[in-house]
Amino acid sequence: MVVLHRDAYGVPHVHGATVLDVARGHGAATAEDRPTQLDLLRRRATGTTGDAAWDRFVRRTCLADDAVRAHARLRPETAAFVAAYVEGVNGGLAGRHAAWEPWTPLAVFGVHHLLFGSLPGKLWNARAREVLGDDARLLSREGGGLSGSNAWAVGGARTATGFPLVGGDPHRALESPSIYQQVRLICDELDVAGFAFVGVPGVQHFAHAGEVAWAITNAVADNQDVYSERLRRVAGGVEALGPDGWEPTEEGEGWLRTRRGPVVAGSAEEGWGLSLRTASSVLGDLGFDAFLPLLRARSAADVMAALDGWVEPVNNVVAADRGGDVRYRVAGRVPLRPDANRHGVVAASDPGTQWHGWLDTLPAHAVPPEGQVVTANERRGPESDAIGTEFAAPHRARRIAALLDGRTGLTAAAFAEIHGDTLLLTAPLMQDLLRPVAPDPAGVRDAILAWDGRMDATSPGAAAFAAWRAAFARRIAAEPVLAPLARPLVDEPVLRPWLDLTAHVGLALETLVRAGAPFGLDLAALAAAALADAAGHPATWGETHVVVPVGEPVPPVPLSGDNDCVRCTGSLPGVTDACARASVARYVWDLADRDGGGWVVPLGAAEHGAHRTDQLDAWAAAELVPITGPDVR
């Protein structure tokens, strides 16, 4: 028996007698709200979209095959949970689109994270080191404005109610419809409000289960490797040169797998390839067995125990419960292998590049009642060294910590205000670069120096800064010393956005400026020349910094914020001011009263009708909507 209610924003509240009823109802509600999106996700995960470049790439990754293998290894209870969800999806689609297979949710989960790992970064780093040697580090992501996610919590001694608070927001590509679905799942054994990946049962990353709430950010772990393979076609098929000589491979229609992993670039006919080795593929596990324990969690300890089964992406996890327990941990599987693997492409034939187990001890600690924890994809000190190599700039984490430091009597409303902060901590560094420069006729320099450092949509200073920053990035990228980087290691259409030279320069401006004269460049001269390029810039930042999602278009709403702001609404300096990557959800979990918090997504609960964009204005204003508002159906 399933009863579906919807609140004033169309968010589905699924009531069932059992957890399987809830899964079935969740699938049916998703099919009702997002039928076209579900079909697109299925086709993206199976390489059947009709987009030749995407289909070729995803088939080469063997994503669907890995999903089938992982599904076969699910615990019986998990398999039944997934099957009930698929039953609901297929019943809701009612023949409008092709039916889902029992393993399709695993493939969809995989496609949501296909380009979330190390592959693009390792391809970029390998090419950058070829061209620049050790100076390639100056174009790394660290300090370069990589957007990710924010999550923070305080103990009960710091709040007005005496119960902990948790807040945060995931940063991903903006998609229309949204990648996340607000949902409430209710039966005798659980009552959980949270964000589900569309096409995946349960809630994984951000949820409030009444007695406990949790949140995650990407730990930016390195748990994928890229191997350079020598390949040859022989009478029996294709062989790859491994550490012990020539080895057989597995080959199918459009795909080839070596003992390291699927070949994602190159071919036997070309005699070379790049293979991708991932934790989930090696283990044959996508972490789905953690989903039900998470839904049933009643304490922070329960959440952390459930995530012992998590695989990837590797996440920083924050959890708090009504008993006052607040905890942090890293969850996921990180392989042990030589350090060279962590920095680029390595030879498959080298015996020294093989994996040899898993990192057993991952960072974890308790947060005292008077304490706080903040995580925003930053390097968290020496504990991060074993996890990864490149992290997001520390600015978002530092700014959130500063907004929390020393404060007591905190409320859900105070947490919600943090979401809206637009201060750009790198602004003074860039302003200092311009102080010795002579004023330009258009007054761009003076407008930047008079600016308060806040990336507000209505700010003329932010507009001047953004225009100059973009021009500065383009001038650096055009320098001859960097020209070879315009030719990527692999010219794969799907990967081009991650390998764009100007985008990397734009996101690494802070690192470059701190270096003084990177690659022998005269940055002061380039910065001065960029002022003329920025003449005639828009009147306000919001004129060009507007929401532009992938998929169905939406009104071009002006946005405050930027990459390194807490209010993360990313841009690619030098490429575009438009925002295609941002906080794709925001939430505050109040352990005193779930209804005391709030949540919001940019593009609503459905792909059609009144609830397609009814949260867009609230999201753009960094406001939240009620979590469990009145049922209207």
Side-chain angles (χ1 to χ4, degrees):
M1 177 65 179
V2 176
V3 177
L4 174 63
H5 295 286
R6 296 186 184 276
D7 66 18
Y9 290 92
V11 173
H13 295 223
V14 182
H15 302 251
T18 69
V19 71
L20 296 184
D21 288 338
V22 168
R24 196 172 295 109
H26 182 192
T30 306
E32 180 179 339
D33 292 341
R34 302 162 183 255
T36 304
Q37 184 182 19
L38 283 175
D39 191 58
L40 177 59
L41 288 169
R42 178 191 60 80
R43 290 185 287 114
R44 282 177 60 82
T46 54
T48 55
T49 65
D51 179 330
W54 173 265
D55 291 347
R56 177 175 180 268
F57 179 74
V58 79
R59 286 197 299 268
R60 298 188 78 172
T61 67
C62 300
L63 186 148
D65 178 62
D66 285 344
V68 172
R69 291 192 301 118
H71 180 266
R73 296 186 57 178
L74 293 176
R75 295 173 186 161
E77 185 182 36
T78 307
F81 179 65
V82 175
Y85 180 84
V86 170
E87 180 184 340
V89 167
N90 286 334
L93 291 177
R96 288 175 290 174
H97 298 289
W100 280 37
E101 300 291 340
W103 48 265
T104 302
L106 285 79
V108 167
F109 184 80
V111 85
H112 279 316
H113 298 99
L114 183 58
L115 295 172
F116 216 64
S118 308
L119 172 63
K122 287 187 174 177
L123 296 179
W124 168 262
N125 288 340
R127 178 63 174 149
R129 283 204 312 277
E130 283 181 356
V131 174
L132 300 170
D134 290 343
D135 281 350
R137 71 188 188 283
L138 300 177
L139 291 176
S140 73
R141 295 183 294 175
E142 185 122 1
L146 175 73
S147 60
S149 302
N150 303 318
W152 64 95
V154 297
R158 299 274 300 282
T159 70
T161 64
F163 291 92
L165 286 166
V166 180
D169 55 315
H171 307 161
R172 288 175 172 259
L174 280 169
E175 298 184 39
S176 176
S178 294
I179 186 174
Y180 280 118
Q181 170 195 37
Q182 296 151 304
V183 66
R184 188 175 178 190
L185 307 176
I186 307 163
C187 65
D188 287 346
E189 60 177 308
L190 56 89
D191 180 352
V192 182
F195 297 92
F197 282 112
V198 176
V200 182
V203 289
Q204 300 81 40
H205 289 167
F206 324 95
H208 194 315
E211 296 296 314
V212 63
W214 63 91
I216 67 98
T217 67
N218 187 351
V220 204
D222 180 18
N223 65 345
Q224 299 181 349
D225 280 350
V226 183
Y227 289 87
S228 176
E229 303 270 5
R230 287 183 58 190
L231 304 171
R232 68 181 186 186
R233 188 167 291 283
V234 296
V238 175
E239 292 182 336
L241 185 61
D244 298 317
W246 289 99
E247 308 164 341
T249 67
E250 300 174 68
E251 187 177 17
E253 186 177 350
W255 61 268
L256 179 70
R257 188 193 291 267
T258 74
R259 292 181 181 176
R260 270 65 58 193
V263 173
V264 297
S267 66
E269 286 63 38
E270 295 169 274
W272 72 278
L274 295 177
S275 61
L276 176 64
R277 190 169 180 81
T278 69
S280 58
S281 182
V282 168
L283 293 168
D285 186 357
L286 286 164
F288 270 48
D289 284 325
F291 291 3
L292 280 171
L294 265 178
L295 288 176
R296 292 167 172 153
R298 293 295 177 269
S299 68
D302 290 345
V303 169
M304 298 311 185
L307 291 172
D308 286 342
W310 195 258
V311 178
E312 62 179 357
V314 180
N315 291 325
N316 298 300
V317 185
V318 175
D321 61 38
R322 285 180 56 82
D325 192 12
V326 181
R327 301 190 183 197
Y328 162 85
R329 72 165 289 181
V330 174
R333 303 301 297 273
V334 180
L336 297 173
R337 75 282 209 203
D339 194 58
N341 293 43
R342 290 151 49 91
H343 297 281
V345 178
V346 294
S349 59
D350 183 351
T353 63
Q354 307 308 301
W355 290 14
H356 51 88
W358 306 93
L359 187 62
D360 291 328
T361 303
L362 294 169
H365 64 80
V367 179
E370 68 280 3
Q372 65 188 47
V373 59
V374 177
T375 171
N377 321 108
E378 81 284 13
R379 182 182 293 274
R380 299 179 62 82
E383 70 180 44
S384 295
D385 293 343
I387 305 297
T389 58
E390 296 178 339
F391 298 84
H395 309 307
R396 287 181 285 110
R398 290 177 179 171
R399 180 59 178 163
I400 294 169
L403 291 170
L404 291 172
D405 283 347
R407 295 180 66 180
T408 58
L410 286 162
T411 63
F415 261 43
E417 289 176 3
I418 292 174
H419 283 300
D421 189 78
T422 62
L423 186 65
L424 188 66
L425 294 187
T426 55
L429 175 71
M430 300 302 175
Q431 289 170 320
D432 287 346
L433 178 66
L434 290 173
R435 290 188 199 285
V437 175
D440 58 292
V444 176
R445 169 190 173 274
D446 290 346
I448 294 172
L449 294 184
W451 170 53
D452 63 2
R454 293 187 176 274
M455 297 297 289
D456 293 329
T458 57
S459 170
F465 168 75
W468 167 79
R469 179 180 62 178
F472 187 33
R474 287 192 291 268
R475 283 188 170 268
I476 294 173
E479 287 294 304
V481 67
L482 298 180
L485 285 173
R487 299 188 300 276
L489 187 70
V490 175
D491 190 17
E492 167 59 59
V494 171
L495 296 173
R496 283 174 189 163
W498 284 267
L499 305 176
D500 183 87
L501 169 60
T502 303
H504 274 274
V505 170
L507 294 174
L509 284 177
E510 178 190 1
T511 307
L512 295 171
V513 170
R514 292 191 187 282
F519 322 123
L521 299 179
D522 184 348
L523 290 191
L526 292 171
L531 290 171
D533 299 340
H537 61 78
T540 63
W541 175 223
E543 285 189 28
T544 53
H545 192 56
V546 297
V547 58
V548 181
V550 176
E552 292 297 316
V554 299
V557 178
L559 297 175
S560 296
D562 200 22
N563 294 307
D564 282 333
C565 299
V566 176
R567 191 169 180 173
C568 183
T569 55
S571 62
L572 286 175
V575 179
T576 179
D577 287 347
C579 177
R581 183 180 177 91
S583 301
V584 294
R586 298 189 183 103
Y587 55 88
V588 174
W589 305 139
D590 187 345
L591 271 302
D593 175 11
R594 180 159 50 195
D595 291 344
W599 58 4
V600 72
V601 294
L603 294 175
E607 67 184 33
H608 48 71
H611 298 306
R612 179 171 175 251
T613 59
D614 59 347
Q615 297 185 53
L616 180 58
D617 289 342
W619 173 81
E623 298 172 350
L624 304 178
V625 303
I627 293 173
T628 56
D631 291 342
V632 297
R633 179 181 129 199

